[in-house]
């Protein structure tokens, strides 16, 4: 049980698996998704919607999506820029 | 942030006046509720035969080593694990379902089974009517006991067609809506006298009564073949298995 919990936490912490992020597209626009590390999510820039990741599983049912307001778009962009600068 | 809410289309009521209509979110909740006992009940109710039917479904899909494979409405992952064994280390399998609870169980099983080849599986929460994959990506698709539960079967077939590579196959296993009166009666008797009483022991009588309604609303083998051809598949054939109680639709793009 402890091993399983640690494994699940590890999966949640790693966010989006790189291979998976290359396979997945927005369920509505069928355009590419952008990975956001914090909070772990997949962003569909084509329709301005964010889809969450939970326990390492991407939640891409259309009703899971949250429409990004301008402020949220900037926060996601800043988080993406910070992580790019830190690399 | 605003939520992205879509109105879910309800089934037309004129054809199904006798039965209650269930929308997608009702079905999602149903599958979330039965998740903890789903595997045990499958074993019990089919006397373990569902494992044979699922192997047949995978075989019909044409899945092979190195392939990119999709298991739709994967539930707790039975078909996904079989597809994973076919794909091997160089292949990739996506298990997609709209029930978080079922996916959670699938993910736990992947960990507990701890076979190296199962590392090629990724779980995705998604909708069979709006698949999050680009056109022509997969070498084979399986769907086990899922098509009967989607609210728009035509759209599900169109999405499967879209994400399949040309020349590839989809293999859809489900209950058979038999045109043979004896088989149909026997199936109904089994549900009323075996399935529902067993499910009642687990506190899931209502959830398994839904089975009879959903089979009644399902399509016959011939109708499923037509559905696939209308969606653009070049070949479609429905096979009856399990003494006519089950059926497997095989369609090629």
């Amino acid at each position: 049980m402890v091993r399983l919990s640690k494994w699940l936490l590890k999966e949640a912490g790693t966010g989006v698996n790189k291979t998976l992020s290359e396979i997945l597209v927005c369920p509505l626009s069928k355009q590419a998704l952008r990975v956001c590390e914090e909070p772990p999510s997949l962003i569909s820039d084509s329709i301005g919607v964010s889809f969450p990741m939970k326990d390492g599983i991407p939640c891409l049912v259309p009703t899971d999506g949250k429409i990004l307001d301008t402020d949220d778009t900037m926060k996601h962009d800043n988080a993406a820029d910070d992580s790019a600068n830190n690399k | 942030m605003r939520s992205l809410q879509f109105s879910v289309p309800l089934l037309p009521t004129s054809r199904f006046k006798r039965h209650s209509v269930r929308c997608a979110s009702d079905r999602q909740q149903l599958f979330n509720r039965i998740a903890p006992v789903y595997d045990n009940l499958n074993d019990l109710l089919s006397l373990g035969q569902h494992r044979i039917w699922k192997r047949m479904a995978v075989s019909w899909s044409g899945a092979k080593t190195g392939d990119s494979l999709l298991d739709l409405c994967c539930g707790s992952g039975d078909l996904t694990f079989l597809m994973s064994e076919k794909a091997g280390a160089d292949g990739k399998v996506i298990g997609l379902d709209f029930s978080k609870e079922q996916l959670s169980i699938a993910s736990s099983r992947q960990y507990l089974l701890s076979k190296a080849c199962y590392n090629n599986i990724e779980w995705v929460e998604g909708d069979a009517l709006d698949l999050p994959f680009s056109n022509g990506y997969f070498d084979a698709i399986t769907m086990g006991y899922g098509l009967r539960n989607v609210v728009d079967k035509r759209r599900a077939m169109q999405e499967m067609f879209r994400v399949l590579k040309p020349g590839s196959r989809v293999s859809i296993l489900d209950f058979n809506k038999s045109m043979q009166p004896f088989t149909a009666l026997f199936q109904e008797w089994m549900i009323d006298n075996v399935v529902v009483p067993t499910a009642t022991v687990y506190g899931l009588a209502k959830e398994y009564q839904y089975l009879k309604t959903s089979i009644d609303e399902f399509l016959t083998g011939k109708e499923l073949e037509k559905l696939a051809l209308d969606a653009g598949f070049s070949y479609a054939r429905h096979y009856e298995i399990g003494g006519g109680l089950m059926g497997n639709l095989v369609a090629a793009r």
Side-chain angles (χ1 to χ4, degrees):
Chain A
M1 193 60 201
V2 172
R3 256 195 323 153
L4 175 58
S5 308
K6 279 185 183 165
W7 179 80
L8 282 171
L9 280 170
K10 176 178 166 293
E11 285 294 304
T14 50
V16 186
N17 171 291
K18 187 176 183 296
T19 316
L20 195 54
S21 67
E22 286 163 1
I23 296 170
L24 297 172
V25 299
C26 172
L28 296 166
S29 70
K30 314 301 184 195
Q31 302 298 306
L33 294 165
R34 176 164 57 87
V35 174
C36 177
E37 299 286 348
E38 189 54 46
S41 52
L42 293 160
I43 313 291
S44 173
D45 288 318
S46 56
I47 57 172
V49 167
S50 161
F51 295 96
M53 297 275 302
K54 290 176 186 162
D55 297 329
I57 295 177
C59 301
L60 290 165
V61 176
T63 48
D64 286 334
K66 297 224 182 303
I67 297 173
L68 294 170
D69 298 327
T70 320
D71 287 346
D72 294 313
T73 312
M74 284 176 62
K75 274 186 213 159
H76 279 282
D77 282 343
N78 287 340
D81 285 343
D82 284 345
S83 89
N85 288 337
N86 288 336
K87 279 184 184 153
Chain B
M1 276 197 274
R2 287 169 287 143
S3 285
L4 197 68
Q5 292 293 331
F6 288 90
S7 62
V8 176
L10 296 179
L11 288 169
T13 54
S14 54
R15 279 180 62 201
F16 314 115
K17 281 180 192 156
R18 291 175 290 137
H19 312 289
S20 62
V21 172
R22 287 174 176 268
C23 66
S25 81
D26 278 349
R27 294 176 190 198
Q28 190 180 37
Q29 284 163 34
L30 183 152
F31 282 98
N32 278 335
R33 281 197 302 276
I34 68 175
V37 296
Y38 187 63
D39 292 334
N40 287 345
L41 274 171
N42 285 341
D43 267 336
L44 202 55
L45 296 170
S46 71
L47 300 176
Q49 285 195 77
H50 71 104
R51 296 166 194 273
I52 301 169
W53 302 327
K54 283 165 181 165
R55 286 189 179 278
M56 292 169 77
V58 168
S59 185
W60 262 312
S61 76
K64 56 193 187 307
T65 310
D67 275 355
S68 295
L69 304 171
L70 175 63
D71 180 31
L72 280 179
C73 305
C74 67
S76 54
D78 277 356
L79 277 165
T80 324
F81 293 121
L82 291 174
M83 291 288 260
S84 167
E85 289 166 9
K86 287 283 185 185
D90 291 332
K92 192 91 203 150
V93 185
I94 309 278
L96 182 139
D97 200 281
F98 77 167
S99 163
K100 283 184 175 60
E101 299 300 327
Q102 295 275 357
L103 283 174
S104 176
I105 289 172
S107 188
S108 305
R109 285 176 81 196
Q110 181 188 19
Y111 171 77
L112 290 167
L113 288 167
S114 66
K115 261 173 94 163
C117 73
Y118 294 153
N119 290 337
N120 65 7
I121 300 172
E122 296 289 348
W123 307 105
V124 174
E125 192 204 324
D127 190 336
L129 304 185
D130 286 298
L131 292 175
F133 309 112
S134 45
N135 300 354
Y137 187 83
F138 292 104
D139 296 293
I141 298 177
T142 47
M143 192 187 214
Y145 302 99
L147 188 62
R148 182 174 33 87
N149 298 305
V150 299
V151 292
D152 188 340
K153 294 161 186 54
R154 183 174 308 275
R155 176 130 172 202
M157 290 301 309
Q158 285 167 347
E159 277 292 90
M160 284 186 261
F161 180 83
R162 181 181 67 78
V163 302
L164 259 182
K165 283 183 189 161
S168 295
R169 277 183 262 165
V170 60
S171 177
I172 299 172
L173 171 67
D174 217 311
F175 282 89
N176 179 35
K177 185 176 174 180
S178 180
M179 297 309 292
Q180 301 292 331
F182 178 74
T183 311
L185 265 169
F186 178 65
Q187 196 178 58
E188 198 173 320
W189 185 90
M190 280 291 290
I191 294 173
D192 287 339
N193 296 286
V194 177
V195 174
V196 172
T198 309
T200 307
V201 171
Y202 289 82
L204 295 168
K206 222 165 36 121
E207 283 76 5
Y208 278 80
Q209 273 158 6
Y210 158 72
L211 198 54
K212 204 160 90 169
T213 313
S214 70
I215 295 171
D216 211 25
E217 292 171 2
F218 198 34
L219 302 174
T220 62
K222 285 283 168 236
E223 288 169 337
L224 285 169
E225 288 173 358
K226 183 172 186 305
L227 189 75
L229 294 171
D230 287 347
F233 288 93
S234 59
Y235 166 89
R237 178 81 193 272
H238 182 260
Y239 298 93
E240 294 191 358
I241 57 176
L245 294 178
M246 302 293 153
N248 202 99
L249 175 69
V250 182
R253 178 170 169 154

